[in-house]
Amino acid sequence: MIDTTNQLHAHDKHSPFWQNAYLYFDRAYTTMHLDETWRTVLSTPKRVLTVSCPIRMDDGRIQVFTGYRAQHNNARGPFKGGLRFHPSVGLDEVMALAMLQTWKNALVDLPFGGAKGGVVCSPHKLSITEKERLTRRYTAEILPLIGPDHDIPAPDVGTDSQVMAWLLDTYSMMVGHQSLSVVTGKPVSIGGSPGREEATGRGVICVLRKFLATQNKSLEDLRVAIQGFGNVGYHTARLLDELNATIIALSSKEGGIYNENGIDITSAQRYYHENGSLADFPDAEPIPNDELLTCDCDVLVPAAMENTIDETIAPHVEAHTIVEAANGPITPKADEILRENGVTILPDILANAGGVTVSYFEWVQGLQNYFWSLNQVQNELQKVMDRAFDAVNAKADESDCDYRTAAYTIAISRVAEASRLKGLFP
Ligand code: NAD
């Protein structure tokens, strides 16, 4: 028996973020008949760092922001995972997301472990110069943990290619040479990969298409509701629209819009960019965020934050399929209710793995200083996503289980095997 009292996850056993991530792991692990002693090793983060970042604000005040970097498991390769700027970021949240990232990277068979970082801030309330100073200070504070062979951050909620450019520059200045592969999701002009920005959305489409094909259905005329209109939500909506699906509902944090005949995505994106919200968008009716999740549609795509579909929402979901474009949008209780109601869930570690897959391509390109065309990136992405979907689909058939359990089983067994083969140090 392993004593868990001093382990990192024991401190956060009551946090819903950590609990949900752990429950999904534990549910699959229990069915796998693996050695019990590895259960704690595999679920405990390897390293967690908390930093404080004092920044001079534009009005002369000094404000201190808290940041985190959690590294979950690196049995299969360097740590890799996003960096989030959001007011609700916390230690347990980054630990949970780092664990999810370990399973995601293993599922799509990338040579990476899982990590996640975050800074507690409201990025939209910071000026561009304040955001730059915060990014640079956070990078300097986590410097001992990151590097192209150690831990490679990428964009997530509230961060973008500009934030990655500042991170790259700060790291390069501190180590004394340009180090392209310390970060992915950079602008293409400074070593980013074509196709990275849209990659998560494109991956969502690959997985949804493959699933629909198993049901002899196609994207055409599918009625889709999308929660969240940031990087992932927008590109998912745009690509679905291009493939003749009908986007009937869209939302951002401030509220949603609905039009049963379909929303014009190009106009909605322009409007969102100009106004910072979708409120009062012409040619659509307003819809509250909760109602979007339960509206009459074929496919629901949560592409915003964690735990937005809980046990109060789940019984009212009308979609036959949910594609988890966001990380952890469905709580374990809601997951159970949805499965009982016959809703198919394409889980986050499969559905949104397109982003980290193209990040892997970007890392490889940076290491080799040899850059690919957009066409090559899109073709390689499609191959990785198709292979991952086929493996999960076959596992679900073979074990007569849901897609999440199948995906976790494949991912955990890959990480468990790498950990077992490497053994314990010392
Ligand atoms: P983003 O910051 O670009 O966009 C987030 C969007 O969600 C915004 O439109 C915001 O207004 C909206 N939102 C927030 N709370 C909401 C709510 N309660 N209801 C409706 N909308 C809400 O972030 P992103 O990069 O698009 O990430 C979205 C999700 O996808 C996150 O869970 C993230 O971890 C996950 N993800 C992102 C990537 C990536 O490449 N960016 C990769 C994999 C997974």
Side-chain angles (χ1 to χ4, degrees):
M1 221 16 217
I2 293 179
D3 173 12
T4 61
T5 46
N6 277 327
Q7 278 158 2
L8 277 167
H9 68 40
H11 294 297
D12 299 273
K13 64 180 176 225
H14 298 302
S15 125
F17 288 120
W18 176 255
Q19 229 172 37
N20 292 349
Y22 183 78
L23 272 173
Y24 281 136
F25 159 79
D26 200 53
R27 197 178 78 187
Y29 196 87
T30 304
T31 65
M32 292 172 66
H33 312 296
L34 291 176
D35 185 344
E36 269 309 300
T37 49
W38 284 96
R39 188 191 291 262
T40 314
V41 177
L42 290 175
S43 60
T44 307
K46 185 176 164 72
R47 194 177 288 123
V48 178
L49 179 67
T50 302
V51 296
S52 85
C53 306
I55 303 300
R56 181 148 329 258
M57 306 301 277
D58 291 348
D59 62 7
R61 279 178 309 119
I62 292 174
Q63 194 168 329
V64 182
F65 295 87
T66 303
Y68 306 99
R69 186 76 185 166
Q71 299 178 327
H72 178 254
N73 182 297
N74 62 347
R76 288 173 46 90
F79 298 103
K80 175 108 191 71
L83 168 63
R84 179 174 286 197
F85 283 0
H86 195 271
S88 74
V89 164
L91 188 63
D92 48 310
E93 186 189 58
V94 292
M95 281 165 49
L97 290 167
M99 173 152 77
L100 208 63
Q101 193 72 44
T102 298
W103 312 138
K104 189 184 306 179
N105 294 344
L107 179 65
V108 285
D109 217 359
L110 305 179
F112 289 134
K116 198 78 177 191
V119 178
V120 189
C121 66
S122 299
H124 304 299
K125 292 189 186 154
L126 297 173
S127 71
I128 187 90
T129 47
E130 288 166 344
K131 207 198 282 192
E132 177 177 353
R133 287 195 288 277
L134 179 55
T135 305
R136 289 187 182 280
R137 182 61 188 250
Y138 170 76
T139 307
E141 295 294 344
I142 64 160
L143 199 84
L145 297 196
I146 59 173
D149 300 321
H150 302 291
D151 183 352
I152 306 116
D156 191 73
V157 174
T159 59
D160 56 15
S161 57
Q162 175 61 78
V163 171
M164 297 304 118
W166 292 324
L167 205 156
L168 165 70
D169 185 61
T170 307
Y171 181 86
S172 300
M173 293 304 290
M174 307 269 304
V175 298
H177 58 91
Q178 165 98 322
S179 184
L180 274 189
S181 283
V182 66
V183 70
T184 59
K186 304 176 287 291
V188 175
S189 55
I190 52 167
S193 178
R196 172 58 184 92
E197 204 164 301
E198 61 159 30
T200 308
R202 187 168 285 278
V204 167
I205 308 296
C206 294
V207 170
L208 177 58
R209 248 180 153 168
K210 289 281 286 182
F211 166 68
L212 291 171
T214 68
Q215 313 289 303
N216 295 320
K217 291 182 188 157
S218 76
L219 289 173
E220 206 155 323
D221 299 329
L222 209 66
R223 290 150 58 252
V224 185
I226 301 179
Q227 181 200 39
F229 201 48
N231 172 294
V232 179
Y234 162 64
H235 285 292
T236 303
R238 176 181 64 80
L239 292 164
L240 280 170
D241 192 39
E242 280 172 22
L243 294 162
N244 297 326
T246 308
I247 313 299
I248 59 165
L250 272 181
S251 68
S252 68
K253 195 169 60 200
E254 303 77 18
I257 53 173
Y258 177 86
N259 183 342
E260 63 179 4
N261 298 318
I263 296 165
D264 183 85
I265 301 304
T266 311
S267 315
Q269 160 68 358
R270 197 178 314 119
Y271 187 91
Y272 186 58
H273 191 70
E274 283 164 8
N275 299 280
S277 98
L278 293 165
D280 301 325
F281 175 71
D283 302 327
E285 294 160 26
I287 183 172
N289 281 333
D290 283 2
E291 277 179 38
L292 176 139
L293 299 171
T294 56
C295 75
D296 179 15
C297 62
D298 302 310
V299 174
L300 174 62
V301 184
M305 301 297 286
E306 299 91 343
N307 303 336
T308 52
I309 304 177
D310 60 15
E311 72 263 35
T312 62
I313 303 273
H316 310 291
V317 166
E318 300 231 359
H320 59 66
T321 303
I322 302 182
V323 196
E324 291 187 324
N327 283 312
I330 301 178
T331 66
K333 276 189 188 152
D335 184 79
E336 229 172 281
I337 296 166
L338 291 162
R339 280 187 288 126
E340 274 164 19
N341 289 348
V343 179
T344 300
I345 300 167
L346 299 169
D348 45 12
I349 63 169
L350 171 66
N352 72 31
V356 72
T357 301
V358 176
S359 272
Y360 167 60
F361 300 158
E362 180 176 333
W363 181 71
V364 169
Q365 292 170 67
L367 291 177
Q368 298 181 337
N369 280 301
Y370 181 76
F371 296 92
W372 305 1
S373 67
L374 176 61
N375 204 20
Q376 187 177 359
V377 169
Q378 289 176 345
N379 287 340
E380 292 300 316
L381 172 64
Q382 172 103 39
K383 280 188 215 161
V384 171
M385 298 307 292
D386 285 358
R387 208 163 43 224
F389 177 85
D390 288 340
V392 172
N393 195 40
K395 187 78 195 168
D397 277 351
E398 176 198 311
S399 306
D400 193 20
C401 66
D402 60 289
Y403 282 127
R404 193 189 308 279
T405 307
Y408 268 70
T409 305
I410 295 169
I412 294 169
S413 58
R414 286 180 182 162
V415 180
E417 188 188 354
S419 303
R420 187 182 54 77
L421 288 170
K422 284 182 161 175
L424 290 181
F425 175 86

Coordinates of all heavy atoms in Angstrom, one line a residue, residues 349-397:
I349 N -9.7 14.6 -24.6 CA -8.4 14.1 -24.9 C -8.2 13.6 -26.3 O -7.1 13.5 -26.8 CB -7.8 13.1 -23.8 CG1 -8.6 11.8 -23.8 CG2 -7.8 13.7 -22.4 CD1 -8.0 10.7 -23.0
L350 N -9.3 13.3 -27.0 CA -9.3 13.0 -28.4 C -9.7 14.2 -29.2 O -9.0 14.6 -30.1 CB -10.3 11.8 -28.6 CG -10.6 11.5 -30.1 CD1 -9.3 10.9 -30.7 CD2 -11.7 10.4 -30.2
A351 N -10.9 14.8 -28.9 CA -11.5 15.8 -29.8 C -10.6 17.1 -29.9 O -10.6 17.6 -31.0 CB -12.9 16.1 -29.3
N352 N -10.0 17.5 -28.8 CA -9.2 18.8 -29.0 C -7.7 18.6 -29.1 O -7.0 19.5 -28.9 CB -9.7 19.8 -27.9 CG -9.1 19.4 -26.5 OD1 -8.1 18.8 -26.3 ND2 -9.9 19.8 -25.5
A353 N -7.3 17.4 -29.4 CA -5.9 17.1 -29.5 C -5.2 17.7 -30.8 O -4.0 17.6 -30.9 CB -5.6 15.6 -29.5
G354 N -6.0 18.3 -31.7 CA -5.4 18.8 -32.9 C -4.4 19.9 -32.6 O -3.4 20.1 -33.3
G355 N -4.7 20.7 -31.5 CA -3.8 21.8 -31.2 C -2.4 21.4 -30.8 O -1.4 21.8 -31.3
V356 N -2.4 20.4 -29.9 CA -1.1 19.9 -29.4 C -0.4 19.1 -30.5 O 0.9 19.1 -30.6 CB -1.2 19.1 -28.1 CG1 -1.8 17.8 -28.3 CG2 0.2 19.0 -27.5
T357 N -1.1 18.5 -31.4 CA -0.5 17.8 -32.5 C 0.2 18.7 -33.5 O 1.4 18.5 -33.8 CB -1.6 17.0 -33.3 OG1 -2.2 16.1 -32.4 CG2 -1.0 16.2 -34.5
V358 N -0.4 19.9 -33.8 CA 0.3 20.8 -34.7 C 1.4 21.5 -33.9 O 2.5 21.9 -34.4 CB -0.6 21.8 -35.4 CG1 0.1 22.8 -36.2 CG2 -1.5 21.0 -36.3
S359 N 1.2 21.7 -32.6 CA 2.3 22.2 -31.7 C 3.5 21.2 -31.8 O 4.7 21.7 -31.8 CB 1.9 22.3 -30.3 OG 1.3 23.5 -30.0
Y360 N 3.3 19.9 -31.8 CA 4.4 19.0 -32.0 C 5.1 19.2 -33.3 O 6.3 19.2 -33.4 CB 3.8 17.5 -31.9 CG 4.7 16.4 -32.4 CD1 6.0 16.3 -31.7 CD2 4.4 15.6 -33.4 CE1 6.9 15.3 -32.2 CE2 5.3 14.6 -33.9 CZ 6.5 14.5 -33.2 OH 7.4 13.5 -33.7
F361 N 4.3 19.4 -34.4 CA 4.9 19.6 -35.7 C 5.7 20.9 -35.7 O 6.8 21.0 -36.2 CB 3.8 19.8 -36.8 CG 2.9 18.6 -37.0 CD1 1.6 18.8 -37.6 CD2 3.3 17.3 -36.6 CE1 0.8 17.7 -37.8 CE2 2.5 16.2 -36.8 CZ 1.2 16.4 -37.4
E362 N 5.2 21.9 -34.9 CA 6.0 23.2 -34.8 C 7.3 23.0 -34.1 O 8.3 23.5 -34.4 CB 5.1 24.2 -34.1 CG 5.8 25.6 -33.9 CD 4.9 26.6 -33.3 OE1 3.6 26.6 -33.4 OE2 5.4 27.6 -32.7
W363 N 7.2 22.2 -33.0 CA 8.4 21.9 -32.2 C 9.5 21.2 -33.1 O 10.7 21.6 -33.1 CB 8.0 21.0 -31.0 CG 9.0 20.5 -30.1 CD1 9.6 21.3 -29.1 CD2 9.5 19.2 -29.9 NE1 10.5 20.6 -28.3 CE2 10.4 19.3 -28.8 CE3 9.3 18.0 -30.5 CZ2 11.1 18.1 -28.3 CZ3 9.9 16.9 -30.0 CH2 10.8 16.9 -29.0
V364 N 9.0 20.2 -33.9 CA 9.9 19.5 -34.8 C 10.5 20.4 -35.8 O 11.8 20.4 -36.0 CB 9.2 18.3 -35.5 CG1 10.0 17.7 -36.6 CG2 8.8 17.2 -34.5
Q365 N 9.7 21.3 -36.4 CA 10.2 22.2 -37.4 C 11.2 23.2 -36.8 O 12.3 23.5 -37.4 CB 9.0 23.1 -38.0 CG 8.1 22.2 -38.8 CD 6.8 23.0 -39.2 OE1 6.9 24.0 -39.9 NE2 5.7 22.6 -38.6
G366 N 11.0 23.6 -35.5 CA 11.9 24.5 -34.9 C 13.2 23.9 -34.5 O 14.3 24.5 -34.7
L367 N 13.2 22.6 -34.1 CA 14.4 21.9 -33.8 C 15.3 21.7 -35.1 O 16.5 21.7 -35.0 CB 14.1 20.5 -33.2 CG 13.5 20.5 -31.8 CD1 13.2 19.1 -31.3 CD2 14.4 21.1 -30.8
Q368 N 14.6 21.4 -36.2 CA 15.3 21.2 -37.5 C 15.6 22.4 -38.3 O 16.3 22.3 -39.3 CB 14.5 20.2 -38.3 CG 14.3 18.8 -37.6 CD 13.5 17.8 -38.5 OE1 12.8 18.2 -39.4 NE2 13.7 16.6 -38.2
N369 N 14.9 23.5 -37.9 CA 15.0 24.7 -38.8 C 14.6 24.4 -40.2 O 15.2 24.9 -41.2 CB 16.4 25.4 -38.7 CG 16.5 26.2 -37.5 OD1 15.8 27.1 -37.2 ND2 17.5 25.8 -36.6
Y370 N 13.6 23.6 -40.3 CA 13.1 23.2 -41.7 C 11.6 23.3 -41.6 O 11.0 22.6 -40.8 CB 13.6 21.8 -42.0 CG 13.1 21.3 -43.4 CD1 13.8 21.8 -44.5 CD2 12.1 20.5 -43.5 CE1 13.4 21.4 -45.8 CE2 11.7 20.0 -44.8 CZ 12.3 20.5 -45.9 OH 11.9 20.1 -47.1
F371 N 11.0 24.1 -42.5 CA 9.6 24.5 -42.2 C 8.6 23.9 -43.3 O 9.0 23.8 -44.5 CB 9.4 26.0 -42.1 CG 10.2 26.5 -40.9 CD1 11.5 26.9 -41.0 CD2 9.6 26.4 -39.6 CE1 12.2 27.3 -39.8 CE2 10.3 26.8 -38.5 CZ 11.6 27.2 -38.6
W372 N 7.5 23.5 -42.8 CA 6.5 22.8 -43.7 C 5.5 23.8 -44.3 O 5.3 24.8 -43.8 CB 5.7 21.8 -42.9 CG 6.5 20.8 -42.1 CD1 7.9 20.7 -42.0 CD2 5.9 19.7 -41.3 NE1 8.2 19.6 -41.1 CE2 7.0 19.0 -40.7 CE3 4.6 19.3 -41.0 CZ2 6.8 18.0 -39.8 CZ3 4.5 18.3 -40.1 CH2 5.5 17.6 -39.6
S373 N 4.8 23.3 -45.4 CA 3.8 24.1 -46.0 C 2.5 23.8 -45.2 O 2.3 22.8 -44.5 CB 3.5 23.6 -47.4 OG 3.0 22.3 -47.4
L374 N 1.5 24.7 -45.4 CA 0.2 24.5 -44.7 C -0.5 23.2 -45.1 O -1.0 22.5 -44.3 CB -0.7 25.7 -45.1 CG -2.2 25.6 -44.5 CD1 -2.2 25.6 -43.0 CD2 -3.0 26.8 -45.1
N375 N -0.3 22.9 -46.4 CA -0.9 21.6 -46.9 C -0.3 20.4 -46.2 O -1.1 19.5 -45.8 CB -0.6 21.6 -48.4 CG -1.6 20.7 -49.1 OD1 -2.7 20.5 -48.6 ND2 -1.2 20.2 -50.3
Q376 N 1.0 20.4 -46.0 CA 1.6 19.3 -45.3 C 1.2 19.2 -43.9 O 0.9 18.1 -43.4 CB 3.2 19.5 -45.4 CG 3.9 18.3 -44.9 CD 5.4 18.5 -45.0 OE1 5.9 19.5 -45.4 NE2 6.2 17.5 -44.5
V377 N 1.1 20.4 -43.2 CA 0.6 20.4 -41.8 C -0.8 19.8 -41.7 O -1.1 18.9 -40.9 CB 0.6 21.8 -41.2 CG1 -0.1 21.9 -39.9 CG2 2.1 22.3 -41.1
Q378 N -1.7 20.2 -42.6 CA -3.1 19.8 -42.6 C -3.2 18.3 -42.9 O -4.0 17.6 -42.2 CB -4.0 20.6 -43.6 CG -4.2 22.0 -43.1 CD -4.9 22.9 -44.1 OE1 -5.1 22.5 -45.2 NE2 -5.4 24.0 -43.6
N379 N -2.4 17.8 -43.8 CA -2.4 16.4 -44.2 C -1.9 15.5 -43.0 O -2.5 14.5 -42.7 CB -1.6 16.0 -45.4 CG -2.2 16.6 -46.6 OD1 -3.4 16.8 -46.7 ND2 -1.4 16.8 -47.7
E380 N -0.8 16.0 -42.4 CA -0.3 15.2 -41.3 C -1.2 15.2 -40.1 O -1.4 14.2 -39.4 CB 1.1 15.7 -40.9 CG 2.2 15.5 -41.9 CD 2.4 14.0 -42.3 OE1 2.5 13.2 -41.3 OE2 2.5 13.7 -43.5
L381 N -1.8 16.4 -39.8 CA -2.8 16.5 -38.7 C -4.0 15.5 -38.9 O -4.4 14.7 -38.0 CB -3.4 17.9 -38.6 CG -4.5 18.1 -37.7 CD1 -4.1 17.8 -36.2 CD2 -5.1 19.5 -37.7
Q382 N -4.5 15.5 -40.2 CA -5.6 14.6 -40.5 C -5.2 13.1 -40.2 O -6.0 12.3 -39.6 CB -5.9 14.7 -42.0 CG -6.9 13.7 -42.5 CD -8.3 14.3 -42.7 OE1 -8.4 15.5 -43.0 NE2 -9.3 13.6 -42.4
K383 N -3.9 12.7 -40.6 CA -3.5 11.4 -40.4 C -3.5 11.0 -38.9 O -3.9 10.0 -38.5 CB -2.1 11.2 -40.9 CG -2.0 11.0 -42.4 CD -0.6 10.6 -42.8 CE -0.2 11.2 -44.1 NZ 1.2 11.2 -44.4
V384 N -2.9 11.9 -38.1 CA -2.8 11.7 -36.6 C -4.2 11.6 -36.0 O -4.5 10.6 -35.2 CB -2.0 12.8 -35.9 CG1 -2.1 12.7 -34.4 CG2 -0.6 12.8 -36.4
M385 N -5.1 12.5 -36.4 CA -6.4 12.5 -35.8 C -7.2 11.2 -36.2 O -7.9 10.6 -35.4 CB -7.2 13.8 -36.1 CG -6.6 15.0 -35.6 SD -6.2 15.1 -33.9 CE -7.8 15.1 -33.1
D386 N -7.1 10.9 -37.5 CA -7.8 9.7 -38.0 C -7.3 8.4 -37.3 O -8.1 7.6 -36.9 CB -7.6 9.5 -39.5 CG -8.4 10.5 -40.3 OD1 -9.2 11.3 -39.7 OD2 -8.3 10.6 -41.5
R387 N -6.0 8.3 -37.1 CA -5.4 7.2 -36.4 C -5.9 7.1 -35.0 O -6.3 6.0 -34.5 CB -3.9 7.3 -36.5 CG -3.2 6.0 -36.4 CD -1.8 6.1 -36.9 NE -1.1 7.2 -36.4 CZ -0.3 8.0 -37.1 NH1 -0.1 7.8 -38.3 NH2 0.4 9.0 -36.5
A388 N -5.9 8.2 -34.3 CA -6.4 8.3 -32.9 C -7.9 7.9 -32.8 O -8.3 7.1 -32.0 CB -6.1 9.6 -32.3
F389 N -8.7 8.4 -33.7 CA -10.1 8.1 -33.7 C -10.3 6.6 -33.9 O -11.1 5.9 -33.2 CB -10.9 8.9 -34.7 CG -12.4 8.5 -34.6 CD1 -13.3 9.0 -33.7 CD2 -12.9 7.5 -35.5 CE1 -14.6 8.6 -33.6 CE2 -14.2 7.0 -35.4 CZ -15.0 7.6 -34.4
D390 N -9.6 6.1 -34.9 CA -9.8 4.6 -35.2 C -9.4 3.8 -34.0 O -10.1 2.8 -33.8 CB -8.9 4.2 -36.5 CG -9.5 4.8 -37.7 OD1 -10.7 5.2 -37.8 OD2 -8.7 5.0 -38.7
A391 N -8.3 4.1 -33.3 CA -7.9 3.3 -32.2 C -9.0 3.4 -31.1 O -9.3 2.4 -30.5 CB -6.6 3.9 -31.7
V392 N -9.5 4.6 -30.8 CA -10.5 4.7 -29.8 C -11.8 4.0 -30.2 O -12.4 3.3 -29.3 CB -10.8 6.2 -29.5 CG1 -11.9 6.4 -28.5 CG2 -9.5 6.9 -28.9
N393 N -12.2 4.1 -31.4 CA -13.4 3.5 -31.9 C -13.3 1.9 -31.8 O -14.2 1.3 -31.3 CB -13.6 3.9 -33.3 CG -15.0 3.5 -33.8 OD1 -16.0 3.7 -33.0 ND2 -15.1 3.1 -35.0
A394 N -12.1 1.4 -32.1 CA -11.9 0.0 -32.1 C -11.9 -0.5 -30.6 O -12.5 -1.5 -30.3 CB -10.5 -0.4 -32.7
K395 N -11.3 0.3 -29.7 CA -11.2 -0.1 -28.3 C -12.6 -0.1 -27.7 O -13.0 -0.9 -26.9 CB -10.3 0.9 -27.6 CG -10.1 0.6 -26.1 CD -9.0 -0.5 -26.1 CE -9.0 -1.2 -24.7 NZ -8.2 -2.4 -24.7
A396 N -13.4 1.0 -28.1 CA -14.8 1.1 -27.6 C -15.6 -0.1 -28.0 O -16.4 -0.7 -27.2 CB -15.4 2.4 -28.0
D397 N -15.4 -0.6 -29.3 CA -16.1 -1.8 -29.8 C -15.7 -3.0 -29.0 O -16.5 -3.8 -28.6 CB -15.8 -2.0 -31.3 CG -16.7 -1.1 -32.1 OD1 -17.6 -0.5 -31.6 OD2 -16.4 -1.0 -33.4

